[in-house]
Amino acid sequence: MAETSEEVAVLVQRVVKDITNAFRRNPHIIDRCHMYPAASKPRLYHCMEREHRSSICKMRKNQQRRLLGRKELILSGTLNPIKDLHLGKLALTKFPKSPETWIHRRWVLQQLIQETSLPSFMTKGNLGTIPTERAQRLIQEEMEVCGEAAGRYPSNYNAWSHRIWVLQHLAKLDVKILLDELSSTKHWASMHVSDHSGFHYRQFLLKSLISQTVIDSSVMEQNPLRSEPALVLPKDEEAAVSTEEPRINLHHLLEEEVEFSTDLIDSYPGHETLWCHRRHIFYLQHHLNGSQLSQAMEVDGLNDSSKQGYSQETKRLKRTPAPDSLGLEMEHRFIDQILSTCRNVEQARFASAYRKWLVTLSQ
Amino acid sequence: MKLYSLSVLYKGEAKVVLLKAAYDVSSFSFFQRSSVQEFMTFTSQLIVERSSKGTRASVKEQDYLCHVYVRNDSLAGVVIADNEYPSRVAFTLLEKVLDEFSKQVDRIDWPVGSPATIHYPALDGHLSRYQNPREADPMTKVQAELDETKIILHNTMESLLERGEKLDDLVSKSEVLGTQSKAFYKTVSFFSKARKQNSCCAIM
């Protein structure tokens, strides 16, 4: 077997040529790689196409060498990065975790967005910048690849981290894409209730949506401050908003996620992942209420000349976001209901642990 | 969450007879599929053999859960699922399938039947539909009449065996498993397919 870098390059080119020819006949014939060691040559593996015509892939045991070879080919312009992504996609069907494959993939994507003269983002009216169609297609493809890899291996951290990276670097946390991802991964999450990484992804999406949503201070000014600590954005906020930007009701999103969590916990008792997820969502809600409250207090404080009555309260609330007492009450009732009706030992254990956590939160 | 197989069997006096089976081995690598299927048959038969009439049990083996229901009239059903699939729904499915089967297939055919001779085409459809437990059974959240406390839980396949019996021996002696499958068992155990490498703690 070849050892020098020239020989590697030749091998890689041959592989690429074989695959390219196969793809040229039909771009989507290879849906996955099934490999077994060919009897005659131990390091040769067969790639079975959907139509059972085989294309021989010389997969080297030394992954790094092979990937380095591919990088050189891309940089020299010999290998089209898109083709390399196709090849990587195939490899992931057999090795869905492979860290080197994911790392290489990010390198290729970075080449694509940096090297090419085509822009990835464009401005659109007063919506700010949004990803171009080309970038959107790339992003969509990456979402699919990650989704498939996640399905092939439980709690596939590498696949989900890659998915997050794509949203951060390719999609630049575009709100519409975040919302789409939130709704499109919901069903998958409900069918993989112990996939911790999948639920962590949803937490990332919600956190990003919160950070990307600018809380319009003018909105806060126009609405009267309520005295209860459990302040949420007033329902009549829509009237005050005049921009064309899609209004995200963060509270509604978080409430929906809590409902989703309740539904899953009820249907599938005894999954720690679901309870961990609930903690994160509750914490996000709690934090959102708190930060908005302190922001609101600040805005109000600026306008109010006699801060006397507020100042102590303001200082306390800014320091420790007040726990949403109504929300806490509901959570305790939920826990009571679970503990009184569940027959699953693990479920009872998780519910009790959750209760203890809630208590520490309000201290 | 996943269902891998659904089988109907008869617990005869002398041996357990497979009457009908449906499989979903799509998540396994192409070359492993036939062996995996054979193993699921082997496992289902073994579990029914070692379970008493009129009982329900769940046998855990690494990331798999085998749910069995042996009726008092010796008709039995086994569903092999992953550890996410809710057991309540699995037992509902078994109840439903055995009930339907007993109405469609004459009792006289049970002791001597085989998948080739038994006519019960609905099994594949049931397996496929129940892949999504909530679509198949919208009432899953409602406590079934089934008393869950009566379900026997086994933490390993080994706990079904007699003292001194080894699973390896049963595999070697099995008529259900082909030579390739037996060899396959030695190299890559069916049951360890989904085992995570280097996992010190598992999050459920």
Side-chain angles (χ1 to χ4, degrees), chain A residues 2-70:
Chain A
E3 292 301 320
T4 69
S5 57
E6 292 104 50
E7 283 164 310
V8 169
V10 166
L11 263 179
V12 171
Q13 279 188 300
R14 273 198 61 186
V15 168
V16 169
K17 184 163 173 271
D18 285 341
I19 301 271
T20 308
N21 288 334
F23 274 126
R24 236 180 243 133
R25 286 194 293 271
N26 182 342
H28 299 290
I29 45 171
I30 300 182
D31 68 334
R32 65 181 287 183
C33 232
H34 303 281
M35 292 200 241
Y36 65 91
S40 52
K41 287 173 187 172
R43 286 199 223 166
L44 264 184
Y45 297 87
H46 282 280
C47 265
M48 297 293 284
E49 298 172 9
R50 212 187 278 170
E51 285 123 29
H52 306 296
R53 277 173 290 167
S54 63
S55 169
I56 298 171
C57 271
K58 293 190 177 79
M59 294 290 197
R60 299 182 60 77
K61 276 193 171 183
N62 190 340
Q63 276 252 39
Q64 300 289 354
R65 193 96 57 92
R66 176 167 62 86
L67 291 170
L68 190 62
R70 269 155 68 177

Side-chain angles (χ1 to χ4, degrees), chain B residues 36-193:
Chain B
V36 167
Q37 214 166 285
E38 282 175 15
F39 266 105
M40 295 203 283
T41 307
F42 166 79
T43 305
S44 303
Q45 270 178 249
L46 182 62
I47 291 178
V48 170
E49 214 176 278
R50 305 308 166 97
S51 299
S52 316
K53 284 197 273 188
T55 62
R56 288 178 174 82
S58 294
V59 184
K60 185 168 153 61
E61 184 64 37
Q62 283 153 38
D63 293 330
Y64 299 92
L65 262 178
C66 310
H67 306 287
V68 59
Y69 172 32
V70 184
R71 296 191 343 174
N72 283 310
D73 62 1
S74 300
L75 193 64
V78 178
V79 71
I80 299 184
D82 70 0
N83 56 16
E84 282 184 347
Y85 198 91
S87 61
R88 204 186 301 159
V89 181
F91 284 108
T92 304
L93 172 61
L94 286 173
E95 181 102 39
K96 191 173 165 145
V97 163
L98 295 185
D99 188 47
E100 192 183 65
F101 185 91
S102 63
K103 294 192 173 113
Q104 288 184 18
V105 180
D106 285 331
R107 186 172 293 239
I108 202 145
D109 296 329
W110 299 354
V112 294
S114 76
T117 61
I118 296 284
H119 182 74
Y120 178 58
L123 209 55
D124 281 299
H126 286 312
L127 181 66
S128 157
R129 233 181 1 264
Y130 269 77
Q131 289 293 358
N132 183 336
R134 298 208 283 185
E135 251 175 53
D137 198 336
M139 298 301 280
T140 52
K141 278 197 267 187
V142 175
Q143 292 288 330
E145 316 84 57
L146 177 70
D147 184 357
E148 285 178 47
T149 57
K150 294 233 179 77
I151 299 172
I152 305 163
L153 290 169
H154 294 276
N155 276 313
T156 60
M157 281 284 288
E158 305 267 295
S159 68
L160 287 172
L161 307 179
E162 304 283 315
R163 196 190 206 86
E165 255 191 321
K166 291 272 177 240
L167 199 54
D168 292 20
D169 295 334
L170 293 172
V171 168
S172 319
K173 284 188 280 177
S174 166
E175 293 163 359
V176 166
L177 299 170
T179 9
Q180 207 164 356
S181 297
K182 289 182 188 177
F184 172 67
Y185 171 75
K186 289 197 167 67
T187 55
V188 180
S189 169
F190 154 64
F191 296 116
S192 63
K193 178 236 166 193

